[in-house]
Amino acid sequence: MTTAFDPDHPMPWVDPRDIGDVVAARLLSDTWQGRLVQAVHGPEDLTFHQVAQILTEALGRPVRLDLVSDDGVRDALRAAGLPPSAVEGIVGMTAGSRDVVPEQARDLLTTTPTRLSGWAHAHLRPLLER
């Protein structure tokens, strides 16, 4: 697992299906009008070290954490064939996300249910068994 983020900084990990559930509930609500920012935090904040350990356990094989610099991200994206504007956009987004503080605190409404371990068992592990 490769990252340019601080491996010891905890952050939310959210199942994409949980995001979809939040969006669907909001759109189908008779009380919703106009514009609203709705945070989704996942059930717990995890460091990249914790994520690597959770994935190791869920997949039954070691997941190693590789730290890269912004220049390392640039090199990898260029090697993948991305145009310079996309490379700089992704590197800029990554750099700008490092110190983001969630606009909405974790609470009952913003905390989604699916843990990373459950998601990995349901979605990643079966891919290894093919």
Side-chain angles (χ1 to χ4, degrees):
M1 185 171 66
T2 303
T3 185
F5 285 95
D6 175 354
D8 296 311
H9 181 74
M11 58 191 292
W13 291 77
V14 182
D15 183 335
R17 292 172 307 151
D18 289 345
I19 295 170
D21 290 347
V22 169
V23 170
R26 179 68 60 201
L27 291 173
L28 295 172
S29 170
D30 292 335
T31 62
W32 178 70
Q33 294 181 20
R35 181 177 169 199
L36 175 74
V37 174
Q38 172 64 58
V40 286
H41 292 292
E44 59 190 339
D45 292 346
L46 301 168
T47 68
F48 276 89
H49 289 298
Q50 290 171 309
V51 169
Q53 183 59 40
I54 289 168
L55 294 178
T56 293
E57 292 168 7
L59 301 177
R61 48 176 80 175
V63 174
R64 186 182 76 236
L65 183 60
D66 290 326
L67 304 178
V68 295
S69 65
D70 288 344
D71 286 335
V73 172
R74 277 187 186 90
D75 293 343
L77 294 172
R78 285 184 194 124
L82 272 70
S85 60
V87 168
E88 290 309 314
I90 292 170
V91 170
M93 182 177 58
T94 300
S97 298
R98 287 189 186 115
D99 297 320
V100 169
V101 175
E103 183 176 323
Q104 297 173 355
R106 177 183 299 283
D107 62 19
L108 185 60
L109 182 64
T110 66
T111 301
T112 54
T114 307
R115 295 189 175 283
L116 179 60
S117 59
W119 178 87
H121 272 94
H123 296 281
L124 294 182
R125 191 175 186 115
L127 296 174
L128 297 175
E129 296 170 355
R130 290 184 182 177

